[in-house]
Amino acid sequence: MQLKRVVVTGMGALTPIGNNLGAYWEGLRTGKSGSAPITYFDTEKFKTNFACELKGYNPEDFFDRKEARKLDRFAQYALVSSDEAIADSGIDLDNVDKFRVGVVWGAGIGGLETFQNEVIGYANGDGTPRFNPFFIPKMIADIAPGNISIKHGFMGPNYTTVSACASSANAMIDALNYIRLGHCDVIVTGGSEAAVTIAGMGGFNAMHALSTRNDSPETASRPFDATRDGFVLGEGAGALILEEYEHAKARGAKIYAEVLGGGLSSDAYHMTAPHPEGIGVVKVMENCLQNAGLKPEDVDAINTHGTSTPLGDVAELKAISKVFGDHAPKININSTKSMTGHLLGAAGAIEAIASILAMEHSLVPPTINHSVVDDQIDPSLNLTLNKAQEREVKVAMSNTFGFGGHNACVLFKKLG
């Protein structure tokens, strides 16, 4: 059968460097750091006392107080970003077949804060199980797309993908394939996460995953730098409206980009560490290129997974050199996690949005906080260090990897 073409017609962002799409791009363009001391709880006894929290986010700007109490922050973020994307798309909700509109969302953890607070409440009590009746529906990861569909009446496929930090990239690939195969006309996709909590920070610290650069939190996320010491935890959400091309064209929609393909693979190596030679990462990029019908030399920019961990950054860049060969130095490679921190299950979504905005504005956002060259990294690679670089981006790749060895890769192409 002839696969249908899929395009992006709307986007929404709620990030540590901007609480809407325009503000997010301004933060990316100017190399803004979202990392700062944690305000949500007392971190005096924590190894890491900073994160990339949302700035100036107030639930009551979007929800009444009663509604907000029924929603974990990760679900709030999903609703806020998806509302922006739906409005941005210009879809007439009164004249769309809602049985052909789905929601495929990504979350690596889901309602961690809700789970944490309910368990702490029980532990501090007398043993009587006094739990909030909204405990379970607030916590479960699938509640985010459920709430989006309930709000708008979307009755197509509806579920959450969970593959750790690759979750929202997996969601986008699933959404792409549903539309390609003719099952849907429109899918709201993306991801959200709200793990800047006592349990989240404590858990990631215990596995030595986080930077402990408490004396300089704004520079702690430093992908590709020789002095990097772990990632900076972030929170927020990104939403994209994927739409069948002819459906979008018929309604005169603004089209940001075409989604050309997606690739998946597994490292099958270790619970948390990447394969040192990046074997799984090589395969996921090869799979994505093949799925999109592109050659390596077609790619202009790669937004890497680039978490700022000692092992992960080197393995990914080795894989890029292997896949792209002589073309690799001609690609603008960057890591927007240097600015946003690592949004876990929402990372793939906000980084895909960054890639699409780079195409729209012919400007590749920088990898900030780089000062010391790592001799394990090929010096011929253009890592877009410290300052955004102007260039036409016709094809952009976004890489997202997760604990458990999950690898996902998505390719976007500028139309026209």
Side-chain angles (χ1 to χ4, degrees):
M1 65 178 289
Q2 181 70 35
L3 293 179
K4 296 181 182 294
R5 295 173 68 185
V6 181
V7 294
V8 179
T9 57
M11 298 190 292
L14 183 59
T15 78
I17 60 171
N19 288 4
N20 56 54
L21 191 64
Y24 177 44
W25 173 248
E26 183 63 16
L28 290 171
R29 183 185 69 79
T30 57
K32 180 180 180 180
S33 173
S35 182
I38 289 170
T39 64
Y40 294 159
F41 56 92
D42 183 0
T43 61
E44 182 182 358
K45 296 183 179 180
F46 283 70
K47 294 176 185 175
T48 298
N49 59 32
F50 58 91
C52 287
E53 296 177 338
L54 296 185
K55 318 296 189 298
Y57 171 78
N58 180 2
E60 293 182 25
D61 290 340
F62 305 97
F63 311 96
D64 65 45
R65 191 170 299 178
K66 185 177 180 181
E67 185 182 12
R69 284 202 302 265
K70 297 177 184 178
L71 298 167
D72 187 271
R73 283 188 294 127
F74 98 100
Q76 293 179 21
Y77 300 165
L79 283 161
V80 171
S81 64
S82 60
D83 279 356
E84 183 184 16
I86 291 165
D88 185 45
S89 74
I91 290 177
D92 182 352
L93 295 179
D94 293 325
N95 288 295
V96 68
D97 182 352
K98 292 187 177 181
F99 286 101
R100 292 185 60 81
V101 181
V103 187
V104 182
W105 201 253
I109 298 177
L112 182 61
E113 185 174 50
T114 295
F115 183 84
Q116 163 199 289
N117 291 346
E118 290 292 323
V119 171
I120 288 173
Y122 174 74
N124 290 338
D126 62 3
T128 304
R130 296 186 181 93
F131 290 91
N132 189 307
F134 293 104
F135 172 28
I136 299 301
K138 279 179 70 173
M139 176 197 75
I140 51 179
D142 68 291
I143 206 66
N147 280 318
I148 294 168
S149 68
I150 291 166
K151 180 171 184 177
H152 299 287
F154 300 148
M155 299 178 73
N158 186 282
Y159 62 93
T160 290
T161 58
V162 181
S163 51
C165 306
S167 296
S168 54
N170 269 108
M172 286 186 286
I173 293 169
D174 279 11
L176 164 67
N177 288 329
Y178 274 119
I179 299 172
R180 270 179 165 176
L181 294 169
H183 300 309
C184 294
D185 298 322
V186 179
I187 294 186
V188 182
T189 189
S192 58
E193 207 79 90
V196 182
T197 64
I198 292 168
M201 294 299 297
F204 282 115
N205 264 152
M207 60 188 296
H208 306 289
L210 298 180
S211 170
T212 56
R213 199 177 293 275
N214 293 315
D215 58 337
S216 182
E218 69 280 359
T219 68
S221 185
R222 47 180 66 199
F224 317 133
D225 188 277
T227 63
R228 64 192 181 278
D229 69 329
F231 70 80
V232 177
L233 189 59
E235 62 168 355
L240 301 92
I241 306 302
L242 300 197
E243 189 167 353
E244 194 271 321
Y245 174 64
E246 295 297 337
H247 187 275
K249 197 165 69 166
R251 67 180 186 86
K254 168 184 62 182
I255 294 175
Y256 283 104
E258 183 171 2
V259 191
L260 283 185
L264 300 168
S265 77
S266 174
D267 283 354
Y269 176 72
H270 188 271
M271 279 198 301
T272 57
H275 191 285
E277 297 302 316
I279 293 172
V281 179
V282 167
K283 196 63 184 172
V284 78
M285 290 187 287
E286 289 177 344
N287 288 346
C288 191
L289 287 165
Q290 182 181 21
N291 186 252
L294 293 180
K295 299 174 183 176
E297 55 267 30
D298 294 325
V299 176
D300 300 306
I302 301 174
N303 195 337
T304 61
H305 186 56
T307 57
S308 187
T309 58
L311 296 177
D313 290 5
V314 170
E316 184 173 10
L317 293 179
K318 279 183 180 179
I320 288 172
S321 292
K322 183 167 184 179
V323 171
F324 292 93
D326 293 342
H327 181 65
K330 300 173 186 175
I331 298 172
N332 265 93
I333 298 166
N334 70 342
S335 172
T336 51
K337 286 188 180 75
S338 59
M339 295 174 274
T340 65
H342 192 355
L343 270 65
L344 307 180
I350 67 160
E351 289 158 21
I353 291 168
S355 296
I356 293 165
L357 291 173
M359 287 194 290
E360 183 181 32
H361 295 281
S362 297
L363 186 76
V364 179
T367 305
I368 66 169
N369 300 326
H370 190 280
S371 59
V372 182
V373 172
D374 185 343
D375 59 13
Q376 295 184 79
I377 292 173
D378 182 351
S380 74
L381 297 177
N382 178 5
L383 304 178
T384 321
L385 298 176
N386 299 320
K387 186 178 179 182
Q389 294 179 15
E390 292 184 10
R391 75 169 288 170
E392 184 178 16
V393 179
K394 294 181 179 178
V395 176
M397 173 179 278
S398 182
N399 284 342
T400 319
F401 316 137
F403 286 167
H406 314 295
N407 304 314
C409 177
V410 189
L411 270 165
F412 302 94
K413 182 181 180 182
K414 190 175 186 178
L415 285 185

